[in-house]
Amino acid sequence: MKYRNPIVRGYSPDPTICRVGEDYYLVNSSFEFFPGLPVYHSKNLANWELVSYALNRESQLDLYKCTASGGIFAPTLRLHDGTFFLCTTNVSSRGNFIIHTKDITGEWSDPVWVAQGGIDPSLLFDDDGTVYFCSAIFDGERTGIYLSEINPFTGEIKKEPVRITTGCGGRYAEGPHLYKIHGMYYLMMAEGGTEYGHTETIMRSSSPYGPYEVCPHNPILSKVDSMMEDIKCTGHADLMEDHNGNWWLVFLAVRPITDEHRRVLLHNLGRETFLAPVTWENGWPVVNGGREVMMEMDGPLPQEAFSSDWDFADDFSRQESPLEYNYLRNPHMEHYERDAEHGCLVLTGTDVTLSETDSPTIQMVRQREFCATTEVTVSPENVQKNGRLGLAAFYSNDYHYEIYYTEQDGSGRICLSRRIHDLEAVTAVHEIPEASEKAEIRLRIIADKESYRFYYRLGAGAPYVYLGCGDTAGLCTEITRTMTFTGVYFGMFAERATGAFREFEVTYKE
């Protein structure tokens, strides 16, 4: 059956998957964004719906002033005896922890912390009742995979961690997943770093502690030597058998902004979730029959795939916010007033700006495709000195573009501002001469692989006015001055101002 990659589009890295009968659940990393650990559901493995978040309370998720791409790293999702377990790492807080629940779309427990260092923890529930916990730990020279035995409900370590491997020869052995398949223990890892040398390897043993035999056709997943430019950086995978007995690999990869006019190794959408079929030969997994992973794929899906619609629209007519919204770090929710009666979202900005490592007033959704049109109407209510109300293309506090309304000397203005590295500048300003024209300002961002273009109109019947643009390359992971792992969001924001936002929508074309 035909399906299209990526299966979860936009920033959705480090996928982990599990099956419950004929239902499938997938969770991704969330880093500095709140709520954390988005949970997706599918019946066919190709089309996924966001159904909940595992970390939705401050008691679970401390992101206070964490750095960009800090916070919550790679999770592992497992089901055992009717209980779901998620283990992950808060690199900005206390390290590795586990949460659990009986209802994957409901509330999860508060964390129990595991006194084993490293990142990318994983769980294996063995047949004899032993629960193994592994993580990737850097010892000062290289990364190794360490294994311990724990109580998953308390985090207590029952048998101290030991290093079981340093990988299959690539740098940065990480993202370990330990499985028991056909009576053997398989340890699958990402190696080569999460950039363009990213690959997936596997080894096996009759004991979880080794010694391990290396797969003769490693790496089992790679785009390192590929001449194709549409998919790169494949790795950090999880393996699963569906209810028909077919095997699958979910993994991250990136889609560079390369097109027919230019070749650049840059990506702005973030690391996305991809899917490939797996078969077994001589006791080893073979991904996609040994062929390269493609955008258009064929495999024995549990059900037929259908066209996914990633468009988003919110008219604020319902009191409950759509799940797609995210915030920066731990949000101050008293600054977000959803007024269903009047069909608007009232944002109250503080002195905290988008350029700070903090929690500005911004409510946003992921950019899911290169070609996107984002629009919102804003009605200013109270604008202080240097106050701003607007629409942003946001990557991190050091990389963002925004179109916004502000006031100076009693006069209204529409401005375009861009922040790249430590350089921040207003690059376009249009005066609004009449006070009546600021009652309803429609802001628009049109994005593609080359640029983000910014427009506004004053009143429903007025034409759009072009304000300026910024290169897509300025919001790409590869240019950041610190290592980052996320992707671009579109968001409504307020700084030192209060305003009502209406009719927020994001539409895509491939």
Side-chain angles (χ1 to χ4, degrees), residues 421-457:
H421 303 311
D422 60 346
L423 302 174
E424 189 164 2
V426 176
T427 57
V429 178
H430 284 190
E431 298 277 353
I432 300 179
E434 300 293 335
S436 61
E437 293 184 331
K438 73 176 187 180
E440 287 194 1
I441 304 167
R442 189 71 172 168
L443 304 176
R444 172 186 280 180
I445 302 174
I446 298 179
D448 58 29
K449 288 185 176 183
E450 293 191 1
S451 66
Y452 291 86
R453 301 183 301 282
F454 298 84
Y455 303 80
Y456 70 93
R457 76 180 183 200

Side-chain angles (χ1 to χ4, degrees), residues 332-337 345-352 359-362 381-382 384 388-389 493-501:
H332 302 286
M333 293 309 297
E334 66 271 19
H335 299 149
Y336 303 82
E337 181 188 351
L345 172 70
V346 178
L347 297 183
T348 300
T350 68
D351 289 340
V352 178
S359 300
T361 303
I362 182 169
E381 295 180 1
N382 177 32
Q384 303 172 34
R388 307 196 305 167
L389 295 163
F493 75 95
E495 298 171 358
R496 304 185 191 96
T498 300
F501 291 78

Side-chain angles (χ1 to χ4, degrees), residues 13 31 33 91 116 150 165 245 254 274 320 423 431:
F31 297 96
F33 298 99
V91 298
Q116 177 170 318
I150 68 163
T165 185
V254 307
F274 287 67
E320 185 178 351
L423 302 174
E431 298 277 353

Side-chain angles (χ1 to χ4, degrees), residues 231-303:
I231 304 172
K232 291 292 185 184
C233 309
T234 52
H236 203 111
D238 201 4
L239 186 64
M240 183 212 63
E241 184 181 17
D242 71 19
H243 67 271
N244 293 321
N246 297 309
W247 288 81
W248 298 89
L249 199 73
V250 291
F251 56 96
L252 68 79
V254 307
R255 290 184 285 163
I257 60 174
T258 290
D259 58 28
E260 63 271 20
H261 306 297
R262 58 181 180 162
R263 178 182 180 273
V264 289
L265 294 181
L266 298 172
H267 74 281
N268 66 316
L269 298 182
R271 300 172 300 163
E272 304 173 286
T273 296
F274 287 67
L275 175 74
V278 172
T279 53
W280 291 84
E281 297 179 11
N282 301 317
W284 294 107
V286 176
V287 179
N288 198 34
R291 301 178 298 276
E292 282 196 56
V293 172
M294 310 286 284
M295 297 288 289
E296 303 285 345
M297 295 285 289
D298 197 353
L301 298 174
Q303 296 180 15

